[in-house]
Amino acid sequence: MGQKIINAHLRTETGKSVAKRLRSEGRIPAVMYDNTGKTTLIDIDEADFTKLFHTITESTLIDVNVEGGKKIVAFVKDVQYNIISNKLTHVDLYEVETGKIIRTKIRVRLSGSPEGVRSGGVLEAGIPEIEVECLPKDLPERIVVDVSGLQLNHSIHVKDIKVADGVKVLTDPHQTLAT
């Protein structure tokens, strides 16, 4: 944690014309929310954030350096994207308190070629993400489930996932991840 850093400027102005001006200057308007619902208006460098965005997941913690020396740990909650210009147009960040337990969803990725598929079966993916609760420092960026040992007519369930100590899985343990 802490390798992913983005620099941000505080902003006071809002509205379409401000957002348009920021975008023309190569900046993306953004909002940072904390757990009390307080919002901080910021803007971030488009090129830096776009590069970072391609290397992270919804549960990657990012160090946000806000001008004036304030450092905040956050993750990307939502992005708005313009398909015509192929650019990110707005970012929502969620600030986490480093010593407080957070609850979030993490995407599950299936990897490997199942034995059952080699015997003529078809791999069916189950739920795409699981909900976990942990301290920010223990938050896994992604969960990869190896399905290579999966036989015909067998399933891998949430309870079969190995997570790090300090990470509590909240999703129903009998939910299917792959069949």
Side-chain angles (χ1 to χ4, degrees), residues 9-73:
H9 295 165
L10 285 169
R11 65 185 169 101
T12 48
E13 306 168 295
T14 59
K16 280 186 178 161
S17 61
V18 174
K20 199 172 185 173
R21 180 175 51 78
L22 283 169
R23 290 186 196 110
S24 73
E25 294 167 0
R27 315 263 328 146
I28 304 173
V31 176
M32 200 153 36
Y33 298 91
D34 70 9
N35 59 349
T36 65
K38 185 173 85 64
T39 59
T40 305
L41 299 174
I42 57 173
D43 61 81
I44 50 187
D45 183 271
E46 181 191 350
D48 289 351
F49 184 77
T50 303
K51 208 179 306 159
L52 176 75
F53 187 65
H54 291 299
T55 67
I56 62 172
T57 68
E58 299 91 345
S59 54
T60 304
L61 293 174
I62 302 166
D63 290 338
V64 182
N65 295 332
V66 183
E67 67 184 337
K70 190 175 179 196
K71 281 189 183 330
I72 291 166
V73 177

Side-chain angles (χ1 to χ4, degrees), residues 109-126 145-156 177-179:
R109 211 177 56 133
L110 305 179
S111 98
S113 173
E115 287 180 27
V117 169
R118 293 195 290 276
S119 331
V122 175
L123 177 67
E124 284 184 22
V145 176
D146 181 9
V147 294
S148 21
L150 195 58
Q151 304 286 335
L152 266 178
N153 302 320
H154 284 82
S155 297
I156 295 175
L177 294 169
T179 307

